[in-house]
Amino acid sequence: MNEEQDQSVFVKGLSYAAGALLVILLGYLYFDDALEKQVNPNASPSSESTAMGTTVVLQRNKFGHYLSSGKIEGQEVLFFLDTGATDVSIPEGVAKKIGLKRGRPISVSTANGVVSVYSTMLQTVELGRIKLHNIEANINPHMSGQNILLGMSFLGELDFTQRGDQLSLHQGP
């Protein structure tokens, strides 16, 4: 083989490698998005506002839970809806990122026993088009991860019904 043929073989091999890399990258992006939708099918929750109020409909994820993107104090967060939680409970790392201030320490009962958390008041909490003000919450230094437990201090202000794999939350006018 001469030098010209060697270059041609090298260029073809490089083209095949680049093509294969592109296919792998596109596959990763597709499957990463598909997996994310299985965990949080409510990245953009379905909302409808009428004269009767605002309704948000959430889809249950593949694990049987309701997760949804939302906002606290205008900052994007990920909610894990938890009717067993008295208040909204925020991992300390997320609270710092949002800029929340620790209030007085209080003891709360969790699935892992009694822990000390810090009270805080949320000026705004948004889930789809539902927006509530002055919601009691706590900052939990024992929680890891990014999920915020959206408890009854928020959910108790709404009417909600579950049918099949859907949870409808309704805020009156």
Side-chain angles (χ1 to χ4, degrees):
M1 232 190 251
N2 64 31
E3 189 175 321
E4 204 171 289
Q5 288 174 326
D6 285 345
Q7 277 186 330
S8 176
V9 169
F10 177 75
V11 169
K12 283 182 184 178
L14 196 56
S15 296
Y16 291 137
L21 187 58
L22 182 61
V23 167
I24 291 169
L25 178 62
L26 291 173
Y28 170 78
L29 293 174
Y30 172 79
F31 287 110
D32 185 53
D33 186 54
L35 289 173
E36 177 62 28
K37 285 180 183 171
Q38 288 181 5
V39 173
N40 179 14
N42 305 297
S44 297
S46 169
S47 300
E48 181 181 327
S49 296
T50 67
M52 301 302 290
T54 302
T55 301
V56 173
V57 178
L58 302 177
Q59 299 296 319
R60 189 175 2 197
N61 73 8
K62 76 175 195 168
F63 303 107
H65 303 292
Y66 292 99
L67 271 75
S68 180
S69 299
K71 292 182 181 180
I72 291 180
E73 315 300 28
Q75 300 287 317
E76 294 281 336
V77 296
L78 182 60
F79 293 125
F80 182 101
L81 280 69
D82 186 355
T83 58
T86 303
D87 291 328
V88 174
S89 190
I90 305 164
E92 188 167 41
V94 175
K96 285 180 181 177
K97 193 164 44 170
I98 295 171
L100 300 176
K101 303 283 187 246
R102 282 181 169 190
R104 64 180 169 74
I106 55 175
S107 294
V108 297
S109 293
T110 71
N112 295 323
V114 176
V115 297
S116 184
V117 299
Y118 300 91
S119 65
T120 192
M121 183 66 71
L122 305 175
Q123 299 306 306
T124 60
V125 178
E126 299 174 63
L127 179 61
R129 290 188 191 158
I130 292 175
K131 185 175 187 176
L132 298 179
H133 301 278
N134 301 320
I135 301 297
E136 290 183 24
N138 62 60
I139 298 169
N140 189 335
H142 310 284
M143 282 176 69
S144 59
Q146 300 297 306
N147 293 357
I148 293 170
L149 295 182
L150 193 61
M152 292 305 291
S153 59
F154 179 87
L155 296 172
E157 299 294 318
L158 308 172
D159 295 320
F160 53 94
T161 56
Q162 180 181 348
R163 285 202 173 83
D165 287 344
Q166 291 186 332
L167 179 67
S168 297
L169 304 163
H170 180 79
Q171 178 185 25

